[in-house]
Amino acid sequence: MNRQLFAWDRLKSKISRGSDWLESLQILGVLSAALILFCTNLGEVPLLGAILAALSTLLLYWVGRELFPRRDPALFSALIYLTCWPILCAGRGAGSAGAMLCCLLLAMLFALRSRRDLRWSLGAGLAMSALGCVGAIQGVLLGAIALLFLAWDTPRLLRSWFFWLGGLLGVAPAIAWYGVRGVYWHEPWTVLMGLEGARSDVFSGLWLLALCLYALPWLPIFTGGLQLAQENWNWSWAKLVWLWSGCYLFCLFLFAHWLTLSILPIYPPLALAGGAVLAEVYAAPRDRPYPRFWALSFMATAILATGACLYWSFQDFALGIFFAAIALTLGVTALSIERQDSQFIISIFWGLYVSLLLFVNSPHWLWIFEIIPMKSLFLS
């Protein structure tokens, strides 16, 4: 009996070591891919706005590991986030977007870990402080979203004085910082909270167009992920996805005309939803039908990319190659979905990553900022 018991212990230890090794390999792979994509061919753009954006990809992976019982959804979520067009452009821009995303995801990660260990509430508060110093409104909104999630998912946590003590100690630096700016430097509270310099009513309507346009080609996956979250209300990841995306969209709808809000914080929960649905599809039986809407959407986007390829090929070869790679990737993805082949997930990740790598290595990677004023939409 003892010999069998010890053999079982050795087997569990071997499985644990193998799992840890695979986890470390995935973390190293995600971080390396993010650093290459965000830091290649930066030119005069500061390296720190780019490194922090790359680190935010790894933080989203860890957030997924806290939420999902399996590793695949976390990995897929991180890869969706990495190949999301606005995250790449904003992270490589000379602004505070990378720092904002990094602090935002770090605060959410610590808030999730505080469900298991109350000492993480101090880290969550400190990350909220850092986020508040980058953008006061984003810090307030994320703090409210995190508290709503914990009240729904782990209500016992809010009855703990240790949790509140750690959180309040953590946010104390941000409160002190804004207090000094308001009392001693006499800065108006409207400026401190981002209530001045906001977009006009006409311009603020562009955020909805930008949200849909720059969510391509992942938009059908995002909608499928949100539907899956709606069907799984009892899971923590579904609660967080709907609270985070729903509350932030609500604020954008009602307050974007007088608050300087970036739409970047909406993409992490959408990436988590997309990672969840892709993991479900990847593990599903082969005879389970895929949503017809996915194939049609990817094919339509591939046709648009083909048109852009034909247009730019006569003007700029580098942009023509970029759009050709996008068209090929999405076309293969659509055909794979039609054939019920789960390998479309691998195809779209590799294809988009290589396409974006081609784009950032071209002399035109800042071209996107000339199309629409992205700095006002994403980097505010």
Side-chain angles (χ1 to χ4, degrees), residues 217-240:
W218 291 114
L219 187 59
I221 305 298
F222 290 160
T223 56
L226 292 175
Q227 182 179 358
L228 181 64
Q230 187 178 7
E231 298 170 357
N232 293 270
W233 282 110
N234 55 322
W235 290 96
S236 296
W237 72 266
K239 297 174 184 177
L240 181 61

Side-chain angles (χ1 to χ4, degrees), residues 100 109 142 144 152 196 265 278 282:
M100 185 264 289
L109 174 63
L142 183 72
W152 185 8
E196 289 188 1
L278 286 184
Y282 193 73

Side-chain angles (χ1 to χ4, degrees), residues 94-115:
S96 60
M100 185 264 289
L101 288 170
C102 195
C103 294
L104 180 148
L105 288 169
L106 190 63
M108 188 58 72
L109 174 63
F110 288 162
L112 291 172
R113 288 190 172 179
S114 68
R115 298 179 301 171

Side-chain angles (χ1 to χ4, degrees), residues 38 42 45-46 49-51 53 86-95 97-98 101 264 379:
F38 280 100
L42 279 178
V45 176
I51 291 179
I87 299 296
L88 175 65
C89 293
R92 290 175 60 91
L101 288 170
L264 283 176
L379 306 183

